[in-house]
Amino acid sequence: MNELVKSVSSPTLPGLQLPCPDTYKGWLFKWTNYLKGYQRRWFVLSNGLLSYYRTQAEMAHTCRGTIPLAKAHIEVGDTCHLVLTSGGRSYHLKATSEGECQRWVSALQQAKTNATLLMPHSDDSGDEGPVSQEDRALTQGVLKSLASKLDDLSTCNELIGKHGAALQRSLSELEELRGSTDSTDKVKAVNERATLFRITSNAMINACRDFLDVAESNSRRWQKALQYEREQRHHLEETIEQLAKQHNSLERAWRDNPTSYTGVERSQEGDESDEDDEAEFFDAMEESPAFITVTTTGQIQHKRSGSNQSMMSGGMTNDWTHNENDTSGTNHLQLQRTRRSRIPDKPNYSLNLWSIMKNCIGKDLSKIPMPVNFNEPLSMLQRLSEDLEYSDLLDRAARCDSSLEQMCLVAAFSVSSYSTTVHRTAKPFNPLLGETYELDRLEEYGYRSLSEQVSHHPPAAAHHVTSQRGWSLWQHITIDSKFRGKYISVVPLGNIHLQFHSSGNHYVWSKVTSTVHNIIVGKLWIDQSGDIDIVNNTTKDTCHLKFSPYSYFSREVPRKVTGVVEDRDGTAHYILSGTWDDKMESAKIVDSSQGSSGSEGKQKTVYQTLQSKLLWKKYPLPDNAENMHFFSSLALTLNELEDGVAPTDSRLRPDQRLMEAGLWDEANIHKQRLEDCQRVERKRREAQTNQALEEGQDIELYQPLWFEKRTDDTTRENTYIYRGGYWEAKDRQDWSQCPEIF
């Protein structure tokens, strides 16, 4: 319990102690930063100043801060919150109860009133900002006035000295003529000089008074300007100190390992130009082999060969390599059905993200009610289906005879799923429990895809794809998303399975972490970071992909991805490189040797490779994509209405359709209605479960309609597998089993 102490002459509340007059003491919670949030502090209100300490014991030696209340603004918020604004800085405080908050507010307002009455009045405006042009002119005028007053004082000082000396001489002469007949004239002269002395002294006193009045009337303005300059100097000193520390750190890092900052290792002969040493990978226009240095940490560096060795044959077949200029056989030219190529432009609605997110730090985003202003008109199930944008990579992989070549294409497919996210910082809709989404592209691309929301808390989705072109894909993904104050991290949990029908090769991998930056200030941007390990459980071939996080100080290519394909014995066969937002290339390794040790003492392996080959390149975005949520060509068709889909399909979700049409206010109303209905349904199931427990009956857990939980025969993990029946039900148009969720 917080303790509030007040000393007054009138009766006080029971249990309150009475220390020195007009003093309040007690515990309050003060907002510190985004990481620590609110922290408990001991506050003392005395003499118009609110001071705070970490503990009561600190009052004897350390004050953590002082807030002057004379010109402070006191604002009362909701749920025991209050905000003090003083000197251009805001202090967010929180009490433990409404009554205690009200007592603090009353005490602060009374202290502010008393401090205001005690303030010397001045004609300044009270602005805390930098000195304006008008203030400078006023200050110059005051300085000129003070200079004039100083001249007057100097003149008066000279006259006082002159008349004082004359008066002294007259008094001496009067002393000598005491008793003579001339004494009357001398006394008259002395009186005249005394009068002059008195007049000059009065002028001196008046000039001093004027000087003092001018100085006092502007002293507060000067103090304010001086305080501002001191704060600016202190801020500049802190900035310079931080820059100096960063500079020293970068210099030390450069001295320890200069090659890791250039991204290039120089050859023994040396290169004459630094511009030739940029970190470019596997230039497809070069005909000579390249040397690739792969450190044990997975960092890949490129070093040009000075010799003109001829290319070695073999390594890649026409079925799995891809010509950048040849788009035949790709999804673009296989379209047989006309689908929509645009959606209504996104409305320009402004909304303060921080006003919603400030109370959500550290929470799971799936449990935070969000308006549609932060969404895109697609659900998470549709985003999963969007991974199939480059399904032609798997079609080509199914035709490969070599499992290692097949692994390269599977790796390129795993990277390609992130290419659509580079500008997509909006949040997809959280699917309702039992919501489904089908993507039937049998005519165009030879596959059918079905996904279903199998759990609500934690949110989890199951996805199954079958292709007539020789492969099947399935995944069970749970999203773990956290708001960290300055950024949002989204961690997909679960594995993706891919199996090729002819060879039986079964690949397994997981996704990397997605991070949305600049939640509070600046332009939102997204980054992908982490490692992907792809394993062929049939042949035991592996591929390790590294997604390098973006760094302002790095000279590496942004959004860089590197990887190595190895066989079951750990022998490297291919080097992969590129970026997750543009393209991926591969180069076949023809020789390897041990290189020099790095800065950490780890020995590097030098790979000699053939010319790099293009595996995958991103399709250009449609025209006007920036006004259509930066959707790709496939994403624009995902929410297009189709006949015969299940009543639980995401296309039929009303709030999502209204948002796509630009009716965001109506969409928010329907979104709230759907979430309330889902909340009521969840409570009903919980009540049934509790009743079953009390009665000793079997608990009936929620069962998805189209997926069931099984143990995977290969990986031995529990995952949701498609049980079948959806496409047959669609052919019959029998949706009697589907719940009414919209």
Side-chain angles (χ1 to χ4, degrees):
M1 290 291 293
N2 285 2
E3 174 192 6
L4 178 61
V5 182
K6 177 181 179 183
S7 178
V8 292
S9 58
S10 60
T12 59
L13 295 172
L16 294 183
Q17 303 178 13
L18 305 178
C20 58
D22 298 326
T23 299
Y24 290 78
K25 300 179 181 179
W27 292 104
L28 287 173
F29 290 88
K30 175 182 174 293
W31 176 262
T32 55
N33 54 51
Y34 301 127
L35 297 178
K36 296 183 178 179
Y38 283 95
Q39 296 293 316
R40 197 166 179 248
R41 296 290 183 262
W42 178 255
F43 281 81
V44 177
L45 173 59
S46 179
N47 297 326
L49 299 175
L50 181 64
S51 305
Y52 55 92
Y53 311 83
R54 285 186 178 174
T55 62
Q56 291 175 262
E58 278 193 348
M59 292 177 60
H61 52 82
T62 304
C63 178
R64 299 293 173 177
T66 300
I67 307 171
L69 298 177
K71 291 188 176 181
H73 175 68
I74 303 173
E75 179 182 354
V76 182
D78 298 333
T79 60
C80 308
H81 285 74
L82 60 146
V83 181
L84 298 181
T85 303
S86 177
R89 181 179 177 184
S90 295
Y91 300 84
H92 295 263
L93 309 177
K94 184 170 66 173
T96 55
S97 66
E98 289 287 351
E100 184 179 357
C101 180
Q102 187 57 47
R103 289 196 293 272
W104 269 107
V105 171
S106 300
L108 291 170
Q109 289 175 343
Q110 183 62 45
K112 176 183 176 181
T113 301
N114 296 339
T116 304
L117 293 175
L118 294 175
M119 280 181 58
H121 293 285
S122 63
D123 57 354
D124 59 82
S125 62
D127 294 333
E128 295 294 337
V131 182
S132 65
Q133 190 68 27
E134 182 180 354
D135 289 336
R136 288 197 187 95
L138 182 59
T139 302
Q140 293 295 331
V142 171
L143 291 175
K144 290 181 180 179
S145 177
L146 289 175
S148 176
K149 296 298 180 184
L150 280 174
D151 291 338
D152 294 342
L153 288 173
S154 179
T155 302
C156 291
N157 182 56
E158 293 176 0
L159 291 175
I160 286 176
K162 179 180 178 182
H163 294 313
L167 180 59
Q168 186 64 40
R169 288 196 303 271
S170 298
L171 290 174
S172 299
E173 292 172 357
L174 184 60
E175 186 70 26
E176 294 173 357
L177 295 174
R178 183 179 297 176
S180 65
T181 55
D182 296 331
S183 60
T184 302
D185 296 332
K186 295 296 185 182
V187 169
K188 185 178 180 180
V190 169
N191 287 333
E192 290 176 354
R193 289 187 172 90
T195 300
L196 289 173
F197 187 86
R198 184 175 66 254
I199 293 172
T200 305
S201 299
N202 289 336
M204 180 75 168
I205 293 172
N206 291 334
C208 290
R209 185 181 293 112
D210 292 340
F211 183 92
L212 185 61
D213 290 342
V214 173
E216 284 183 345
S217 64
N218 291 274
S219 62
R220 289 187 57 78
R221 187 185 304 277
W222 295 337
Q223 289 175 2
K224 189 185 307 176
L226 180 60
Q227 180 63 25
Y228 175 79
E229 294 299 330
R230 286 174 177 169
E231 292 175 355
Q232 290 295 101
R233 186 188 67 180
H234 180 66
H235 177 69
L236 182 60
E237 289 174 349
E238 289 181 341
T239 304
I240 293 175
E241 183 180 1
Q242 291 177 0
L243 289 174
K245 290 180 179 179
Q246 293 177 0
H247 184 264
N248 291 336
S249 177
L250 289 173
E251 279 190 338
R252 287 196 300 270
W254 168 259
R255 287 194 297 267
D256 294 339
N257 187 14
T259 59
S260 66
Y261 284 83
T262 62
V264 177
E265 280 197 342
R266 303 184 189 276
S267 61
Q268 292 180 355
E269 295 85 353
D271 293 332
E272 295 181 357
S273 172
D274 289 340
E275 295 179 357
D276 293 334
D277 287 343
E278 293 296 331
E280 292 217 359
F281 301 98
F282 317 110
D283 189 350
M285 302 304 295
E286 287 287 333
E287 295 184 356
S288 61
F291 286 89
I292 308 299
T293 301
V294 183
T295 67
T296 55
T297 59
Q299 181 181 1
I300 296 181
Q301 298 173 335
H302 183 115
K303 183 169 66 177
R304 308 276 180 168
S305 170
S307 61
N308 294 319
Q309 298 180 7
S310 60
M311 285 191 58
M312 300 179 66
S313 60
M316 299 186 185
T317 65
N318 291 332
D319 278 342
W320 76 283
T321 57
H322 182 63
N323 189 337
E324 183 175 350
N325 298 319
D326 180 15
T327 59
S328 62
T330 65
N331 291 349
H332 279 310
L333 297 185
Q334 293 175 359
L335 291 175
Q336 300 177 1
R337 174 180 174 182
T338 302
R339 299 186 182 273
R340 69 180 186 180
S341 59
R342 64 170 294 108
I343 59 175
D345 287 356
K346 176 183 177 182
N348 186 19
Y349 287 138
S350 62
L351 189 65
N352 185 2
L353 176 62
W354 179 238
S355 65
I356 295 176
M357 302 295 289
K358 62 183 179 182
N359 296 322
C360 305
I361 298 175
K363 295 183 180 179
D364 188 342
L365 286 185
S366 64
K367 300 181 180 179
I368 300 173
M370 287 282 195
V372 300
N373 304 56
F374 302 122
N375 287 82
E376 61 179 18
L378 291 177
S379 74
M380 180 59 71
L381 301 180
Q382 291 166 310
R383 287 290 292 267
L384 283 178
S385 304
E386 201 175 345
D387 289 354
L388 300 171
E389 175 108 26
Y390 299 94
S391 61
D392 62 305
L393 289 170
L394 301 183
D395 298 341
R396 289 155 52 196
R399 299 193 296 267
C400 286
D401 296 328
S402 167
S403 63
L404 295 172
E405 295 175 358
Q406 191 177 72
M407 174 68 83
C408 292
L409 286 167
V410 172
F413 174 79
S414 69
V415 175
S416 70
S417 62
Y418 297 98
S419 63
T420 62
T421 67
V422 62
H423 301 296
R424 304 263 292 277
T425 56
K427 177 179 177 286
F429 279 78
N430 287 330
L432 303 176
L433 185 63
E435 185 173 334
T436 61
Y437 181 73
E438 68 161 71
L439 186 64
D440 189 348
R441 294 293 189 268
L442 206 58
E443 295 180 0
E444 298 98 322
Y445 309 136
Y447 68 78
R448 276 177 165 178
S449 165
L450 176 68
S451 52
E452 180 181 4
Q453 188 76 356
V454 297
S455 173
H456 185 58
H457 284 307
H463 184 208
H464 180 81
V465 189
T466 300
S467 173
Q468 293 179 339
R469 298 176 184 175
W471 54 270
S472 296
L473 181 146
W474 64 96
Q475 58 180 319
H476 169 216
I477 298 295
T478 301
I479 301 298
D480 181 21
S481 53
K482 294 290 186 181
F483 175 48
R484 304 296 185 182
K486 293 183 180 180
Y487 63 90
I488 294 174
S489 63
V490 180
V491 184
L493 305 176
N495 289 326
I496 302 172
H497 296 255
L498 172 66
Q499 188 168 29
F500 292 97
H501 301 163
S502 59
S503 65
N505 288 338
H506 184 175
Y507 295 85
V508 181
W509 71 92
S510 58
K511 290 179 173 287
V512 296
T513 299
S514 301
T515 307
V516 182
H517 295 270
N518 289 350
I519 297 299
I520 309 304
V521 178
K523 182 179 179 181
L524 293 175
W525 61 280
I526 194 168
D527 193 23
Q528 314 288 349
S529 59
D531 296 340
I532 292 180
D533 289 308
I534 306 176
V535 179
N536 184 341
N537 286 288
T538 305
T539 64
K540 305 306 178 183
D541 299 335
T542 60
C543 175
H544 179 78
L545 293 174
K546 179 178 180 59
F547 288 64
S548 300
Y550 175 79
S551 174
Y552 179 79
F553 297 102
S554 175
R555 292 184 59 185
E556 295 285 3
V557 178
R559 308 181 185 96
K560 173 184 171 184
V561 181
T562 54
V564 180
V565 175
E566 298 178 342
D567 61 19
R568 65 185 307 156
D569 298 323
T571 303
H573 290 267
Y574 289 97
I575 297 296
L576 306 180
S577 66
T579 58
W580 54 263
D581 68 324
D582 185 26
K583 64 181 179 179
M584 286 295 293
E585 297 176 336
S586 68
K588 183 175 177 59
I589 299 172
V590 295
D591 192 15
S592 64
S593 60
Q594 296 299 319
S596 59
S597 299
S599 59
E600 299 179 358
K602 298 178 180 179
Q603 195 169 27
K604 300 178 181 180
T605 302
V606 180
Y607 293 115
Q608 181 181 352
T609 70
L610 297 177
Q611 175 186 354
S612 60
K613 300 289 185 179
L614 183 68
L615 295 174
W616 158 78
K617 185 169 179 60
K618 179 186 176 183
Y619 300 142
L621 289 175
D623 294 337
N624 196 40
E626 64 276 7
N627 295 321
M628 298 186 295
H629 309 274
F630 286 98
F631 281 177
S632 64
S633 298
L634 175 62
L636 287 174
T637 68
L638 293 180
N639 211 39
E640 185 176 10
L641 287 174
E642 294 188 9
D643 297 332
V645 299
T648 54
D649 197 276
S650 298
R651 298 176 179 87
L652 306 178
R653 181 166 172 165
D655 52 350
Q656 191 171 300
R657 298 222 62 83
L658 288 168
M659 183 196 175
E660 182 184 275
L663 304 175
W664 287 15
D665 292 337
E666 294 84 347
N668 277 318
I669 295 174
H670 280 274
K671 185 173 186 291
Q672 184 64 45
R673 176 184 63 82
L674 292 175
E675 291 175 348
D676 290 342
C677 292
Q678 184 169 236
R679 200 172 294 113
V680 170
E681 179 64 20
R682 186 181 74 250
K683 291 181 178 179
R684 185 189 65 80
R685 287 196 302 270
E686 291 175 352
Q688 289 180 346
T689 301
N690 293 333
Q691 182 179 359
L693 288 173
E694 293 175 358
E695 297 176 357
Q697 300 177 358
D698 293 336
I699 301 175
E700 185 176 349
L701 300 177
Y702 174 81
Q703 296 295 331
L705 188 57
W706 309 110
F707 290 81
E708 61 182 356
K709 204 166 192 177
R710 299 181 195 164
T711 300
D712 187 87
D713 296 335
T714 303
T715 62
R716 311 308 301 172
E717 63 173 331
N718 289 327
T719 185
Y720 280 92
I721 305 295
Y722 176 57
R723 70 171 73 196
Y726 178 87
W727 303 107
E728 292 78 7
K730 182 181 180 182
D731 292 338
R732 300 191 308 268
Q733 282 299 292
D734 179 13
W735 304 116
S736 57
Q737 301 179 66
C738 295
E740 296 182 4
I741 60 175
F742 299 143

Short mmCIF file of all heavy atoms in Angstrom, two decimals, residues 490-510:
data_model
loop_
_atom_site.label_atom_id
_atom_site.label_comp_id
_atom_site.label_asym_id
_atom_site.label_seq_id
_atom_site.Cartn_x
_atom_site.Cartn_y
_atom_site.Cartn_z
N VAL A 490 7.68 -11.58 -35.03
CA VAL A 490 6.74 -12.65 -35.38
C VAL A 490 7.56 -13.91 -35.63
O VAL A 490 8.36 -13.96 -36.56
CB VAL A 490 5.91 -12.28 -36.62
CG1 VAL A 490 4.94 -13.41 -36.96
CG2 VAL A 490 5.16 -10.98 -36.40
N VAL A 491 7.34 -14.92 -34.78
CA VAL A 491 8.11 -16.16 -34.86
C VAL A 491 7.17 -17.30 -35.22
O VAL A 491 6.35 -17.72 -34.40
CB VAL A 491 8.82 -16.47 -33.52
CG1 VAL A 491 9.68 -17.72 -33.66
CG2 VAL A 491 9.64 -15.28 -33.06
N PRO A 492 7.24 -17.83 -36.46
CA PRO A 492 6.42 -18.99 -36.83
C PRO A 492 7.02 -20.26 -36.23
O PRO A 492 8.20 -20.54 -36.41
CB PRO A 492 6.48 -19.01 -38.36
CG PRO A 492 7.12 -17.71 -38.77
CD PRO A 492 7.97 -17.29 -37.61
N LEU A 493 6.20 -21.01 -35.53
CA LEU A 493 6.64 -22.25 -34.91
C LEU A 493 6.00 -23.42 -35.67
O LEU A 493 4.81 -23.42 -35.93
CB LEU A 493 6.24 -22.29 -33.44
CG LEU A 493 6.71 -21.10 -32.59
CD1 LEU A 493 6.15 -21.21 -31.17
CD2 LEU A 493 8.23 -21.04 -32.55
N GLY A 494 6.80 -24.42 -35.97
CA GLY A 494 6.30 -25.57 -36.72
C GLY A 494 7.13 -25.81 -37.96
O GLY A 494 7.93 -24.97 -38.38
N ASN A 495 6.95 -26.98 -38.56
CA ASN A 495 7.74 -27.39 -39.71
C ASN A 495 6.90 -27.43 -40.98
O ASN A 495 5.68 -27.63 -40.94
CB ASN A 495 8.35 -28.78 -39.48
CG ASN A 495 9.45 -28.74 -38.43
OD1 ASN A 495 10.18 -27.75 -38.31
ND2 ASN A 495 9.57 -29.81 -37.66
N ILE A 496 7.59 -27.23 -42.10
CA ILE A 496 7.00 -27.36 -43.42
C ILE A 496 7.52 -28.66 -44.03
O ILE A 496 8.73 -28.93 -44.02
CB ILE A 496 7.37 -26.17 -44.31
CG1 ILE A 496 6.92 -24.86 -43.66
CG2 ILE A 496 6.74 -26.31 -45.70
CD1 ILE A 496 7.41 -23.62 -44.37
N HIS A 497 6.61 -29.47 -44.56
CA HIS A 497 6.96 -30.75 -45.15
C HIS A 497 6.71 -30.70 -46.65
O HIS A 497 5.68 -30.17 -47.10
CB HIS A 497 6.14 -31.89 -44.54
CG HIS A 497 6.39 -32.09 -43.08
ND1 HIS A 497 7.14 -33.15 -42.60
CD2 HIS A 497 6.01 -31.38 -41.99
CE1 HIS A 497 7.19 -33.08 -41.28
NE2 HIS A 497 6.50 -32.01 -40.89
N LEU A 498 7.63 -31.26 -47.41
CA LEU A 498 7.51 -31.32 -48.87
C LEU A 498 7.96 -32.70 -49.32
O LEU A 498 9.06 -33.15 -48.96
CB LEU A 498 8.37 -30.24 -49.53
CG LEU A 498 8.50 -30.29 -51.05
CD1 LEU A 498 7.16 -30.01 -51.73
CD2 LEU A 498 9.56 -29.30 -51.54
N GLN A 499 7.12 -33.36 -50.12
CA GLN A 499 7.48 -34.71 -50.60
C GLN A 499 7.24 -34.77 -52.10
O GLN A 499 6.21 -34.32 -52.61
CB GLN A 499 6.65 -35.78 -49.89
CG GLN A 499 7.12 -37.20 -50.20
CD GLN A 499 6.49 -38.22 -49.28
OE1 GLN A 499 5.39 -38.04 -48.78
NE2 GLN A 499 7.20 -39.31 -49.01
N PHE A 500 8.24 -35.34 -52.81
CA PHE A 500 8.13 -35.53 -54.25
C PHE A 500 7.67 -36.96 -54.53
O PHE A 500 8.22 -37.92 -53.96
CB PHE A 500 9.47 -35.24 -54.93
CG PHE A 500 9.86 -33.79 -54.87
CD1 PHE A 500 10.72 -33.32 -53.89
CD2 PHE A 500 9.32 -32.88 -55.77
CE1 PHE A 500 11.06 -31.98 -53.83
CE2 PHE A 500 9.65 -31.54 -55.72
CZ PHE A 500 10.52 -31.09 -54.74
N HIS A 501 6.67 -37.09 -55.40
CA HIS A 501 5.99 -38.37 -55.58
C HIS A 501 6.89 -39.43 -56.21
O HIS A 501 6.91 -40.60 -55.77
CB HIS A 501 4.74 -38.18 -56.44
CG HIS A 501 3.77 -37.20 -55.84
ND1 HIS A 501 2.76 -36.60 -56.57
CD2 HIS A 501 3.66 -36.69 -54.58
CE1 HIS A 501 2.06 -35.80 -55.79
NE2 HIS A 501 2.61 -35.82 -54.58
N SER A 502 7.66 -39.06 -57.23
CA SER A 502 8.43 -40.08 -57.96
C SER A 502 9.61 -40.60 -57.15
O SER A 502 9.84 -41.82 -57.09
CB SER A 502 8.92 -39.51 -59.29
OG SER A 502 9.74 -38.36 -59.06
N SER A 503 10.37 -39.72 -56.54
CA SER A 503 11.57 -40.13 -55.80
C SER A 503 11.27 -40.46 -54.34
O SER A 503 12.05 -41.17 -53.70
CB SER A 503 12.62 -39.02 -55.87
OG SER A 503 12.16 -37.85 -55.20
N GLY A 504 10.18 -39.92 -53.79
CA GLY A 504 9.89 -40.11 -52.38
C GLY A 504 10.70 -39.22 -51.46
O GLY A 504 10.61 -39.35 -50.23
N ASN A 505 11.53 -38.31 -52.03
CA ASN A 505 12.33 -37.40 -51.20
C ASN A 505 11.41 -36.54 -50.33
O ASN A 505 10.50 -35.88 -50.83
CB ASN A 505 13.20 -36.51 -52.08
CG ASN A 505 14.34 -37.29 -52.71
OD1 ASN A 505 14.74 -38.35 -52.22
ND2 ASN A 505 14.88 -36.77 -53.81
N HIS A 506 11.69 -36.54 -49.03
CA HIS A 506 10.85 -35.85 -48.04
C HIS A 506 11.70 -34.75 -47.38
O HIS A 506 12.63 -35.04 -46.63
CB HIS A 506 10.35 -36.84 -47.00
CG HIS A 506 9.42 -36.25 -45.99
ND1 HIS A 506 8.78 -37.01 -45.04
CD2 HIS A 506 9.00 -34.96 -45.78
CE1 HIS A 506 8.03 -36.22 -44.30
NE2 HIS A 506 8.17 -34.98 -44.72
N TYR A 507 11.36 -33.50 -47.67
CA TYR A 507 12.11 -32.36 -47.14
C TYR A 507 11.34 -31.73 -45.98
O TYR A 507 10.10 -31.64 -46.01
CB TYR A 507 12.33 -31.30 -48.23
CG TYR A 507 13.20 -31.77 -49.37
CD1 TYR A 507 12.65 -32.48 -50.45
CD2 TYR A 507 14.56 -31.52 -49.38
CE1 TYR A 507 13.45 -32.91 -51.50
CE2 TYR A 507 15.36 -31.94 -50.43
CZ TYR A 507 14.80 -32.64 -51.48
OH TYR A 507 15.60 -33.06 -52.51
N VAL A 508 12.10 -31.26 -44.99
CA VAL A 508 11.51 -30.60 -43.81
C VAL A 508 12.33 -29.36 -43.49
O VAL A 508 13.56 -29.41 -43.50
CB VAL A 508 11.49 -31.54 -42.58
CG1 VAL A 508 10.85 -30.83 -41.39
CG2 VAL A 508 10.73 -32.82 -42.89
N TRP A 509 11.65 -28.24 -43.23
CA TRP A 509 12.32 -27.02 -42.79
C TRP A 509 11.34 -26.15 -42.01
O TRP A 509 10.14 -26.45 -41.95
CB TRP A 509 12.91 -26.26 -43.98
CG TRP A 509 11.91 -25.59 -44.89
CD1 TRP A 509 11.45 -24.31 -44.82
CD2 TRP A 509 11.27 -26.19 -46.04
NE1 TRP A 509 10.56 -24.05 -45.84
CE2 TRP A 509 10.44 -25.19 -46.61
CE3 TRP A 509 11.32 -27.45 -46.63
CZ2 TRP A 509 9.65 -25.42 -47.73
CZ3 TRP A 509 10.54 -27.68 -47.75
CH2 TRP A 509 9.72 -26.68 -48.29
N SER A 510 11.83 -25.11 -41.40
CA SER A 510 11.00 -24.17 -40.64
C SER A 510 11.28 -22.76 -41.13
O SER A 510 12.22 -22.51 -41.90
CB SER A 510 11.28 -24.29 -39.14
OG SER A 510 12.65 -24.05 -38.87
#
